[in-house]
Amino acid sequence: MPAPTERTRQSAITVIGLGPMGRALASAFLDAGLTTTVWNRTPGRDQESVARGAVSARSPEEAVTASGLTVVCVVNYDASDSVLRRREVTAALKGRTVVNLSADTPARAREAGAWAAEQGIRYLDGAIMTPATTIGTPHGVFLHSGPERLYLEHKPLLDALGGTHTHLGEDIGRAAAYDIALLDIWWTAMTGYMHALAVARAEGISAQELAPFARGIGEILPPAFEEAAVEVDNGSYAATVNPLSSAASTMAHIVRTSEAHGIDASVIRAAEGLARRAVELGHGGDELTRLTELMGRGA
Ligand code: NDP
């Protein structure tokens, strides 16, 4: 955890939302020596933060009035809107800064940014890419977007959360856009893994027997991601190693095996369908990266 600077020591911060992530954020701010005011919709969920030294606000307007910077971390933007757009809260926030770390879509972030500007609220959006357990450690990854000057003004306080903070640009939706793309990788990969474990189990292989080999697959992915990124940006899809015709055939084996066991194959079936379609369109000799181009034009 970074040592509190004179500036952070003298500063105050408000955290709205005390789920696992909000509580972790509040703890990190407290550990950095900040005066931390907290509020959560359901009363009583602030006990852990209060025990660590946080000030419990009786209302969200009281909470946001306590600090120049309010960090919001609730389930989504419906939830953050339902707090920030209460008349008293909006009025209290005028001239203050909100950093909204709640996850949602880029469109919602842009809409909220426009609303905040109309209300005279200084507004940044952000996304947290690592679990609550990483907050306050060097392992947290935070993405931010919105006015750079505002970000730099509040960076000393945000640094109290530890980890790496990256400002991605002035477009307020950009952090959410990265978040969506990165979570796309996470959820499709993890759902694929859950399917793999179901197929393995049906074949008499325990999850822990498979795990060391699954790790091996995981280790192949980082260089594959980087090579694919170059191919996609360059639009160079010609296969050197693994043409789509071969990939589609391998995927079909997985579909057949899982369906033979009565296992829902919808995830791999979707992938196999895309690969087969690409082959039908004459791209059988291309790399899997061709799918990005085909999906992008709705083919
Ligand atoms: P949740 O996503 O479950 O959010 C819980 C928080 O949202 C609680 O404070 C809850 O209040 C509040 N909330 C829900 N609905 C409303 C509402 N209508 N009005 C006001 N408050 C509401 O828990 P997390 O703390 O884990 O996540 C918070 C955000 O952080 C999410 O956007 C999540 O995607 C993101 N995140 C979380 C990670 C993690 O490891 N947990 C990792 C990376 C990102 P109440 O107690 O009253 O229900």
Side-chain angles (χ1 to χ4, degrees):
M1 174 144 21
T5 63
E6 195 51 36
R7 179 164 181 188
T8 56
R9 218 176 280 120
Q10 287 172 358
S11 301
I13 195 142
T14 290
V15 177
I16 299 269
L18 296 171
M21 185 54 91
R23 289 199 300 275
L25 299 174
S27 287
F29 288 131
L30 287 163
D31 288 346
L34 297 174
T35 302
T36 305
T37 301
V38 295
W39 181 82
N40 189 68
R41 176 186 62 169
T42 304
R45 299 212 168 128
D46 59 1
Q47 279 175 5
E48 178 190 315
S49 307
V50 169
R52 295 178 63 101
V55 178
S56 174
R58 281 164 301 181
S59 65
E61 53 273 27
E62 183 179 297
V64 304
T65 306
S67 315
L69 174 61
T70 291
V71 172
V72 181
C73 192
V74 290
V75 63
N76 55 30
Y77 263 70
D78 282 344
S80 64
D81 282 356
S82 77
V83 179
L84 300 178
R85 299 191 192 201
R86 290 190 200 186
R87 200 161 39 86
E88 310 75 20
V89 179
T90 305
L93 280 170
K94 201 171 165 62
R96 298 176 197 272
T97 303
V98 171
V99 175
N100 196 340
L101 297 178
S102 313
D104 213 307
T105 63
R108 288 298 293 266
R110 291 184 186 116
E111 193 277 330
W115 169 83
E118 280 166 20
Q119 306 302 323
I121 299 169
R122 307 162 88 218
Y123 193 84
L124 291 164
D125 192 68
I128 306 171
M129 302 316 308
T130 48
T133 47
T134 64
I135 307 305
T137 78
H139 306 295
V141 175
F142 301 84
L143 305 179
H144 302 276
S145 52
E148 186 171 20
R149 235 168 23 152
L150 191 57
Y151 167 72
L152 293 175
E153 184 185 325
H154 293 289
K155 189 162 185 307
L157 287 187
L158 297 170
D159 280 343
L161 298 173
T164 311
H165 294 258
T166 307
H167 181 252
L168 297 166
E170 298 271 327
D171 168 15
I172 193 85
R174 207 160 161 83
Y178 271 69
D179 188 38
I180 291 291
L182 295 169
L183 290 176
D184 191 352
I185 301 171
W186 171 257
W187 289 120
T188 49
M190 287 306 285
T191 309
Y193 185 39
M194 297 307 110
H195 182 259
L197 295 183
V199 174
R201 183 157 66 183
E203 288 288 340
I205 304 164
S206 76
Q208 288 177 72
E209 284 176 305
L210 192 73
F213 298 92
R215 174 182 278 272
I217 295 286
E219 286 164 1
I220 295 169
L221 288 175
F225 283 175
E226 283 169 14
E227 280 163 32
V230 173
E231 287 170 19
V232 166
D233 279 352
N234 292 343
S236 54
Y237 305 112
T240 47
V241 184
N242 193 7
L244 267 165
S245 54
S246 169
S249 166
T250 313
M251 292 181 198
H253 301 155
I254 306 168
V255 171
R256 275 208 299 279
T257 305
S258 54
E259 289 184 344
H261 288 295
I263 292 168
D264 185 329
S266 48
V267 173
I268 187 66
R269 210 174 234 302
E272 188 258 347
L274 286 166
R276 195 161 23 84
R277 175 103 184 101
V279 173
E280 284 163 9
L281 289 169
H283 300 298
D286 285 352
E287 288 284 352
L288 192 69
T289 44
R290 171 62 77 178
L291 297 187
T292 300
E293 190 263 329
L294 292 178
M295 288 188 275
R297 62 179 160 95

